[in-house]
């Protein structure tokens, strides 16, 4: 599976890009970017994120 580069364009008034998802996305495409990505799980459990081949498990309230 190819790893895609994600170009992140910041908002004009903010020095970062902000997403709020209310629907669960079971699998996002494998991607990379030069910026820092911070994820916060508001509700739910066992949200899996793979970083550099290592799987991390998140639960409600985890960053």
């Amino acid at each position: 599976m190819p790893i895609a580069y994600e170009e992140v364009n910041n908002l004009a008034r903010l020095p970062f890009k902000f997403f709020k998802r209310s629907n669960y996305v079971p699998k996002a495409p494998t991607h990379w970017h030069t910026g820092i990505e911070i994820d916060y799980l508001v509700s739910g459990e066992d949200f899996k994120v793979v970083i550099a081949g290592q799987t991390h498990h998140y639960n409600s309230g985890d960053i």
Side-chain angles (χ1 to χ4, degrees):
M1 171 197 272
I3 299 174
Y5 172 71
E6 179 185 7
E7 184 172 343
V8 178
N9 296 312
N10 297 338
L11 299 173
R13 299 181 329 238
L14 301 171
F16 56 85
K17 189 172 185 179
F18 174 81
F19 288 102
K20 179 180 179 183
R21 291 191 179 155
S22 57
N23 296 335
Y24 174 69
V25 178
K27 187 172 183 180
T30 303
H31 67 279
W32 71 276
H33 40 73
T34 58
I36 296 170
E37 183 168 329
I38 299 173
D39 297 302
Y40 176 73
L41 184 59
V42 175
S43 63
E45 58 185 47
D46 203 25
F47 176 66
K48 297 175 188 168
V49 177
V50 179
I51 301 171
Q54 185 176 10
T55 301
H56 302 269
H57 298 268
Y58 293 89
N59 293 292
S60 179
D62 289 346
I63 293 179

